[in-house]
Amino acid sequence: MPVNLPLPNPSELFPIAGVRIGVAEAGIRKANRKDLTVVLLDEGASVAGVFTQNRFCAAPVQVCREHLAAGRGIRAMVVNTGNANAGTGHEGLARARSTCAALARQLGLAPEQVLPFSTGVIMEPLPHDRIEAGLPAALGDAREDNWSRAAEGIMTTDTVPKAFGTQVVIGGVTVSVTGISKGAGMIRPNMATMLGYMATDARVSQAVMQQLAHELAEGSFNRVTVDGDTSTNDSFVVIASNKAAHAAIDALDSVDGQKLKAAMLEVARKLAQAIVRDGEGATKFITVRVQGGRTAEECRLVAYAIAHSPLVKTAFYASDPNLGRILAAVGYAGIADLDQSKIDLYLDDVHVAVQGGRNPSYREDDGQRVMRQSEITVRVALGRGMAEDVVWTCDFSHDYVSINADYRS
């Protein structure tokens, strides 16, 4: 079961004018499962994306990058689960392009105006014939208030759909933001094994969209990890339908730009944290906050060293306050001139280590009390400067091994 992650609240999933979503069962890997989603955009939408940094990226990632670079104006997206179309060579690229062409034909568009996305098993041929056969049903289901079904339609090993929304007033106009994501394992930036889609009816220039997508990803999806594995298919796409009746946002650092970014970042962080809360086999949600660094980058190094450590993660699962494992991770994070005599360590309200050594007042019962909680904050003070950063992760349980051992069956 996910860690303190409720089902999406339908009242928070605001329809976005100019964005329609349809979901179908195409039998891509298993029967009677929502596994095909189409997203249809009115002309004039601004679209940008951020993708995996894994050099062995999947065919749909390559095609998405090509189509966004072509600048034809994105009008549709097609998403399938059950098959990642990764590790499939030239044939995989051809099948991803065939899927785009099939949807484009039905909508009267150029193939370059369609973005393809796939998630699921790697190194198996994409059954593009099933996808193409399922497109009419998905198109027939398309409507603006279909975000909840879409969140279900992009799931793989997720145990619950992930969807959030919010509203903000910009230029006297109420603007809506709604987003969905999927992901539970093979999670590590940049980015997590995830698909994420966020749309707003705000008016945002295309020139601002890529900066917005990047900054949203940096503040959310690039701050989560489940198991330290960077996927082949990660994709995060941001859409502005430009339907709201306010002046266009032409600079992200403007007052309106910052208001919109704050609202969208709120949704993006909820989506990113939902992936960790639903991490494969997770029983605990852990915030790792590192303070007192010289730069945010070195704070992230330390945070990820802690968050990726199997020894740390298994200790959290067992509620075992073997906290020397955390200090060891701080030490091997990669800060060459780290002074261990300046390091303090906290578990929530419990001060564990002072100036690199055990706090004389620390009692293991206090550490165990915190470790038994379903939500825990690890805080490390480096004593080197004023910078800080944060990462969200989960524990490792027996179920993580079972889920991944049986993934293809």
Side-chain angles (χ1 to χ4, degrees):
M1 294 296 292
V3 182
N4 300 331
L5 179 62
L7 290 171
N9 182 350
S11 67
E12 293 181 356
L13 305 183
F14 302 101
I16 304 298
V19 179
R20 293 180 297 126
I21 304 172
V23 182
E25 298 178 1
I28 292 167
R29 184 168 182 82
K30 296 180 179 179
N32 304 315
R33 176 179 177 176
K34 300 181 186 72
D35 55 10
L36 179 62
T37 302
V38 296
V39 181
L40 310 179
L41 309 178
D42 285 0
E43 188 172 4
S46 301
V47 181
V50 179
F51 301 93
T52 182
Q53 293 185 22
N54 190 323
R55 296 297 300 166
F56 209 98
C57 60
V61 170
Q62 298 175 60
V63 174
C64 277
R65 286 172 171 155
E66 291 172 2
H67 287 187
L68 284 167
R72 294 288 299 272
I74 301 304
R75 295 289 308 282
M77 303 190 302
V78 55
V79 189
N80 75 269
T81 64
N83 185 298
N85 195 12
T88 49
H90 293 297
E91 181 63 23
L93 283 168
R95 294 186 180 203
R97 293 188 176 113
S98 173
T99 300
C100 292
L103 181 54
R105 282 193 301 272
Q106 299 206 34
L107 297 174
L109 304 173
E112 294 79 13
Q113 294 179 286
V114 179
L115 299 181
F117 304 89
S118 298
T119 183
V121 176
I122 294 174
M123 290 189 70
E124 292 188 4
L126 181 73
H128 62 116
D129 53 338
R130 297 178 198 170
I131 294 173
E132 294 172 18
L135 287 176
L139 290 170
D141 185 56
R143 59 183 193 269
E144 288 183 354
D145 62 348
N146 228 1
W147 287 95
S148 182
R149 276 171 54 80
E152 297 176 15
I154 64 174
M155 293 167 60
T156 49
T157 58
D158 309 61
T159 65
V160 293
K162 302 166 178 68
F164 298 94
T166 191
Q167 291 183 315
V168 62
V169 176
I170 295 178
V173 176
T174 298
V175 166
S176 297
V177 178
T178 300
I180 60 175
S181 67
K182 63 78 52 180
M186 206 179 194
I187 302 293
R188 185 227 164 134
N190 291 302
M191 299 151 60
T193 277
M194 53 152 288
L195 299 178
Y197 307 100
M198 186 183 302
T200 177
D201 55 352
R203 296 184 65 199
V204 184
S205 70
Q206 184 61 48
V208 171
M209 285 301 292
Q210 191 60 47
Q211 181 187 359
L212 179 60
H214 174 77
E215 293 192 15
L216 291 175
E218 278 296 295
S220 59
F221 296 109
N222 284 350
R223 293 292 182 277
V224 298
T225 182
V226 168
D227 48 24
D229 275 318
T230 299
S231 169
T232 55
N233 290 62
D234 305 328
S235 304
F236 173 50
V237 174
V238 180
I239 301 160
S241 69
N242 294 315
K243 296 291 188 179
H246 62 79
I249 296 172
D250 294 317
L252 197 54
D253 59 0
S254 65
V255 172
D256 286 348
Q258 288 300 297
K259 286 179 70 175
L260 178 64
K261 177 186 168 182
M264 298 183 78
L265 186 58
E266 174 192 345
V267 174
R269 282 183 173 162
K270 287 180 178 179
L271 291 170
Q273 292 177 10
I275 290 173
V276 173
R277 292 180 184 279
D278 196 25
E280 290 169 341
T283 69
K284 296 175 183 178
F285 177 82
I286 302 160
T287 299
V288 183
R289 189 175 301 278
V290 180
Q291 302 170 319
R294 290 180 185 164
T295 65
E297 288 74 17
E298 72 177 23
C299 291
R300 275 199 303 280
L301 278 177
V302 173
Y304 275 122
I306 296 168
H308 288 154
S309 167
L311 289 176
V312 171
K313 293 163 80 70
T314 50
F316 274 110
Y317 172 63
S319 300
D320 175 17
N322 189 349
L323 302 177
R325 295 177 176 184
I326 296 177
L327 293 176
V330 173
Y332 65 62
I335 302 177
D337 61 343
L338 184 68
D339 184 347
Q340 64 178 290
S341 69
K342 295 182 178 180
I343 295 172
D344 279 30
L345 171 64
Y346 300 79
L347 281 183
D348 278 5
D349 60 331
V350 178
H351 197 167
V352 176
V354 177
Q355 296 180 343
R358 180 175 177 137
N359 184 351
S361 65
Y362 170 68
R363 298 292 179 265
E364 188 156 305
D365 286 349
D366 293 328
Q368 194 165 57
R369 168 179 58 80
V370 175
M371 297 279 271
R372 286 173 176 156
Q373 298 171 179
S374 60
E375 302 207 20
I376 302 164
T377 297
V378 176
R379 183 162 63 90
V380 178
L382 298 177
R384 293 166 55 83
M386 300 299 293
E388 63 178 85
D389 216 325
V390 63
V391 165
W392 300 287
T393 190
C394 60
D395 58 340
F396 266 163
S397 71
H398 304 292
D399 285 346
Y400 177 86
V401 177
S402 299
I403 290 166
N404 281 281
D406 297 336
Y407 178 66
R408 297 201 305 165
S409 60

